[in-house]
Structures are given as C-alpha cells and as structure tokens.
Amino acid sequence: AFVCGLRAGTGWPRRYRPFAEGFCVELQGRSHLSSGLVLRWFQGHLQRCLGAVRYRLQERCRISLSASPGHPPTLHIVPCSDYVCCHISMAVRLIPAIPLGDALYLTALPPEGTQPPPAHEALWGLNASRQEQRLLGWLKEQAPASSCHLKCLQILKGLRDLRGQGLEEPFCSQWGRVLSSYVLKTALFSLLLQMPLEAWEERFLAERLEDLVLYLRDCLRKQVLMHFFLGNTSLPEAVSPPRFLKEAAPVNLLAAFDRPTLDLAAFQLINTWILAPHMIRMYSSPRYLRPALTP
C-alpha cells in the first residue's frame, strides 16, 4: 500500500539492531534496511522449515512453496482425500513484517522482475489493517443501516476483474496494478468523507457507484491519489491513528505510473462503466440472473 525508505541506526529498538545490521544496503551514503535481503533470508528459512515438517504431514496433506517475481512466497496446502472428508486446498501468502506499534507493520515488498533497481531494496510496505477496521467500524455506526458503500467496492472490484479478462499484455498487468484493491479502497474511503453518509443509502447504489467511478477517473487523469492514512489530518477521531502516522509525509499511490498508463487506465475505466450492464449479462451465470418480469 505504501513504500518508504527505512534507515537503520540508533533509532531502532535494541532487540532489532543486531538483525538490522546484517541486512542493510548503502544508498546515497546512508544505510537502509533491505527488504530484498530480508525477504531472501525469510524464503531460505521457509524452505528449511518446510523440509523439516513435510515428512511428518505427508499422510495428511501435501505441502509446497511457490515464489514468483512481484509476488510474496505462497504456501500451498492440499489435504489427502483419503484422510479428510472435504478435499479443500489452501494458499497462504507469507510476508515478513516488522511491528511499528499500534498494530502497524512494515512488510517486505517482493521484487518486480529478476533485476530490480537498487533503490527498490530500501522500499517497504505499510500495513494499516487495524486502522482500516476502526474506520469501517466507525462507518458502520455513523452510516445508515442500509449503506451501500461496501457493495460499491465489491461491484467495482468485480467490474475491474471482468474487464481485465479482455485486455492484452502488457497493459493487462498494468491494469491490475493501477486499479489494485488498495487503490479502489482508498478511493472509496476518500469519497466517503467528502459527502454526507446519508447519501450512501441502498436506494442510491447506482448514483454512488457512478460517483466512485468518476472520482477514480479524475484521480487517474490528475495522477494523484493520496494515501488515506499517511499525512491525513482530517481522519475521524474514532480511528485514532498514532501521531507519527498523521505527521508522516503524504504519499501519492499513483506516483509510480507514467501518464500514458494512467490515461489509458482512465479511458478503460469509463469504458468499463459504460459496458457494465453488457459485461454483467455476458459473464454472469444464468442461475444468478433474475427471471424476466411478465408484462
């Protein structure tokens, strides 16, 4: 969701200093904790742990570990059909994280491509899921009982995924990164605080969904969508973010993309909204469609 340079030094908690000193890179004369080195160390430990426990669980399930550029290591668990009644598999993403306090974590970013730029080594992600939960709890109390804000997010995600099926590479991958779930969620949170919450009643679903699409289109055209928590001084008091989060420098989530990519994404977004009824009819299963009303 957010990337930052993490400097290693005396500001680190004492229990982390020995660990940090062995995983640093020099950038512009300063020592930064390397997310790439931490992630490689983490993957090595995962492989050793997997080798130690796999034989103990081989009668119950099959366990494997996969990793690809741009994605965190994923643990795949497939139970043996003769051991359990339900043959349900699981895929768990494993991401090393450093706690900052107040349920905030820095997460190691997987490298994009086989040879990421050196500056990428010092970039970390910020996980603020606890603050998001507080915000959603506050919205549930303040918004109407029939609020449609979560439905808007679900529908927009679905339209994004449907549209992605008809796009070709390399833009197909860019489409998913530009309109990531975190970008869509950030746009929704920002729009929610710009209008009365009574406007999000269920009967206004179509209007609010259109507002969300148009707001996101404008963000893409302006190349600006600010992180919702970092440097945001207008957050509701119920969210109670830590002080350093409010005083942090604002971060533009779209800064990593060039103008042609964002302009194309804005065009495809509006095109997706125009074609939404057709796309839903084409991709929906007949058993989920309402029967036509008899005149």
Side-chain angles (χ1 to χ4, degrees):
F2 155 69
V3 292
C4 66
L6 191 63
R7 275 197 297 166
T10 55
W12 276 90
R14 181 170 298 178
R15 64 181 181 275
Y16 293 137
R17 290 179 193 172
F19 176 85
E21 292 174 356
F23 295 90
C24 291
V25 293
E26 294 290 333
L27 289 175
Q28 298 180 351
R30 293 182 175 181
S31 182
H32 294 261
L33 185 66
S34 169
S35 63
L37 291 177
V38 171
L39 189 58
R40 287 191 286 272
W41 166 84
F42 182 69
Q43 290 176 338
H45 274 276
L46 286 179
Q47 292 287 1
R48 286 189 288 273
C49 291
L50 191 62
V53 302
R54 181 185 282 121
Y55 78 96
R56 297 184 181 181
L57 303 174
Q58 59 185 355
E59 295 182 357
R60 302 182 181 184
C61 57
R62 296 188 299 273
I63 301 177
S64 61
L65 189 68
S66 65
S68 58
H71 299 279
T74 302
L75 184 68
H76 301 274
I77 304 174
V78 181
C80 298
S81 57
D82 56 349
Y83 186 83
V84 294
C85 59
C86 299
H87 193 70
I88 301 176
S89 60
M90 296 178 61
V92 184
R93 291 185 300 170
L94 304 173
I95 305 174
I98 298 176
L100 297 179
D102 199 16
L104 288 168
Y105 297 89
L106 289 177
T107 58
L109 296 175
E112 296 183 1
T114 56
Q115 294 182 344
H120 193 278
E121 290 284 320
L123 298 181
W124 290 75
L126 176 67
N127 183 293
S129 56
R130 178 65 62 84
Q131 279 65 33
E132 292 179 10
Q133 292 173 4
R134 291 173 182 169
L135 177 64
L136 290 173
W138 177 81
L139 289 171
K140 185 176 181 180
E141 294 177 356
Q142 301 297 322
S146 60
S147 178
C148 63
H149 61 280
L150 294 181
K151 287 186 179 180
C152 287
L153 182 61
Q154 293 170 349
I155 293 173
L156 189 54
K157 285 183 178 180
L159 291 175
R160 175 204 60 190
D161 295 340
L162 289 177
R163 185 56 180 162
Q165 296 179 17
L167 298 175
E168 297 181 355
E169 295 292 355
F171 181 69
C172 181
S173 299
Q174 295 173 335
W175 169 262
R177 290 196 295 268
V178 171
L179 297 182
S180 65
S181 295
Y182 196 83
V183 165
L184 300 185
K185 184 165 51 176
T186 299
L188 174 66
F189 288 162
S190 301
L191 189 61
L192 275 166
L193 299 187
Q194 295 182 18
M195 61 176 61
L197 293 178
E198 290 75 15
W200 292 86
E201 290 185 3
E202 179 77 23
R203 57 196 176 101
F204 300 126
L205 172 63
E207 290 87 345
R208 298 293 80 80
L209 183 57
E210 184 175 17
D211 288 341
L212 181 57
V213 170
L214 295 178
Y215 176 79
L216 189 55
R217 178 205 61 183
D218 293 341
C219 291
L220 295 173
R221 287 179 173 177
K222 297 175 182 177
Q223 298 179 275
V224 176
L225 178 61
M226 305 309 295
H227 193 283
F228 188 76
F229 293 102
L230 284 164
N232 189 351
T233 57
S234 61
L235 290 173
E237 288 297 328
V239 179
S240 63
R243 181 178 177 181
F244 75 88
L245 202 63
K246 293 190 293 185
E247 295 179 350
V251 173
N252 181 10
L253 298 180
L254 302 179
F257 304 100
D258 56 35
R259 177 172 290 278
T261 298
L262 295 181
D263 286 343
L264 183 56
F267 170 78
Q268 290 292 353
L269 177 63
I270 294 301
N271 191 44
T272 300
W273 175 244
I274 295 173
L275 298 176
H278 172 72
M279 293 171 60
I280 293 174
R281 287 195 302 267
M282 181 173 62
Y283 286 100
S284 297
S285 173
R287 63 192 180 119
Y288 292 114
L289 296 176
R290 291 183 179 180
L293 298 177
T294 304

